[in-house]
Amino acid sequence: NRQLITVYTVIVANYDNLAELSPPALAPGVRYVCFSDRPRQVRPWEIQPFPQAMPDPHRMSRIPKMLPHLLLPEAEVSVYMDGAFTLCAPPKQMVAELLGDADVALFCHPTNKSIHDERNFYERLHGWVPADLEAEYQRYCALEIPITGEFWAGGFILRRHNAKVEKFNELWMREFLRGSNNDQFSLYYALSTMIREEGLKVCGLPGYYGAQGRLGYHFHANAGDVRNQVLAPDNQAWKERTDRIREICRA
């Protein structure tokens, strides 16, 4: 049976601590999933392993983030949260208010408004731009990607699981694998392409972090848990989905 809403997050290598959800965020009929490389016992989260399809933990963590239609096939709507976020509001109400009739809803970036701003942010922050990021930026400049005036952030994403969103998800994954570890560039490319070519309906959420009291935010923990043990990779029950993910990653 399909479940209307699945709230999920991804935590790899103890980069974040998985937080318990407060009563307002708990609702019957909603599934709460944490994809992790280590077992955890935190209410109400259902801990699921995910395919160890690549050696880089950072890139590996993007598989559930970008491909929820393959790892959560029962969901009609998914709510992705970066591990630094926690939910403070009823999921059904939040989906109704924030997603509405859109295909995808996510925050506009709090400071950057274009791929140019994102690239220049690195230069201001570090005094230089990583070679892979600069190469991706130059490739997108050469493609003359239209500047929409909105540059989206990928830390919190509501998605309606339909054919257009599945196409967006897989385009984002492929672009991310072609480019740098910064998934903001590939996110912008995938969204702007799907809006222009497929009529994907995207709702840019105002503000950031708090979402008017619907979310809590805490900085990444980078904290270990001595009770954790590494899970065996590639749960056999997921073979069909993991094969598809590897096929996308090889493309």
Side-chain angles (χ1 to χ4, degrees):
N1 294 331
R2 299 199 75 183
Q3 291 178 300
L4 180 61
I5 298 173
T6 297
V7 176
Y8 78 103
T9 190
V10 184
I11 298 179
V12 177
N14 285 327
Y15 193 71
D16 290 291
N17 289 324
L18 183 62
E20 287 192 9
L21 295 183
S22 60
L26 305 178
V30 175
R31 188 181 180 198
Y32 302 86
V33 177
C34 173
F35 292 99
S36 178
D37 58 347
R38 307 173 188 205
R40 304 168 189 275
Q41 293 183 339
V42 181
R43 61 180 292 274
W45 297 102
E46 169 192 337
I47 308 303
Q48 290 282 358
F50 59 90
Q52 317 285 303
M54 53 192 75
D56 182 343
H58 177 83
R59 285 188 174 265
M60 187 174 64
S61 72
R62 296 312 192 255
I63 294 173
K65 177 178 181 177
M66 296 179 182
L67 302 175
H69 63 289
L70 295 178
L71 295 182
L72 300 169
E74 74 290 338
E76 295 183 6
V77 174
S78 64
V79 180
Y80 166 78
M81 301 188 303
D82 184 290
F85 285 101
T86 188
L87 198 62
C88 303
K92 295 178 183 178
Q93 176 186 339
M94 187 173 62
V95 167
E97 293 173 350
L98 298 183
L99 184 61
D101 64 350
D103 298 306
V104 179
L106 68 177
F107 287 117
C108 296
H109 198 283
T111 56
N112 299 336
K113 304 302 179 185
S114 69
I115 60 172
H116 311 303
D117 290 346
E118 182 75 3
R119 184 262 180 208
N120 293 338
F121 168 79
Y122 274 82
E123 191 163 46
R124 290 196 310 272
L125 185 66
H126 303 294
W128 61 286
V129 180
D132 61 345
L133 193 148
E134 181 66 23
E136 184 176 23
Y137 169 74
Q138 294 297 338
R139 179 166 65 88
Y140 287 153
C141 287
L143 291 174
E144 298 183 345
I145 300 171
I147 300 303
T148 66
E150 290 186 304
F151 188 73
W152 298 280
F156 176 75
I157 309 173
L158 296 94
R159 273 171 279 201
R160 197 173 303 284
H161 287 211
N162 58 33
K164 287 182 181 179
V165 171
E166 290 182 11
K167 191 170 181 178
F168 154 69
N169 291 342
E170 297 189 12
L171 177 60
W172 185 15
M173 186 82 225
R174 290 190 181 97
E175 282 298 309
F176 174 67
L177 292 173
R178 290 181 66 187
S180 69
N181 276 349
N182 180 327
D183 63 13
Q184 299 290 132
F185 283 100
S186 51
L187 173 63
Y188 182 83
Y189 174 85
L191 282 175
S192 61
T193 298
M194 288 295 299
I195 291 169
R196 186 172 64 255
E197 297 182 0
E198 302 286 345
L200 185 75
K201 188 171 183 179
V202 178
C203 177
L205 304 178
Y208 199 59
Y209 296 153
Q212 299 175 325
R214 297 181 181 92
L215 294 173
Y217 182 85
H218 46 85
F219 289 103
H220 296 295
N222 299 326
D225 183 342
V226 296
R227 296 170 299 172
N228 284 342
Q229 298 175 2
V230 176
L231 294 180
D234 292 351
N235 186 323
Q236 185 61 31
W238 293 6
K239 187 176 187 307
E240 182 176 339
R241 278 172 273 166
T242 58
D243 286 349
R244 175 66 178 141
I245 290 166
R246 288 196 175 95
E247 178 184 324
I248 293 169
C249 293
R250 287 195 299 266

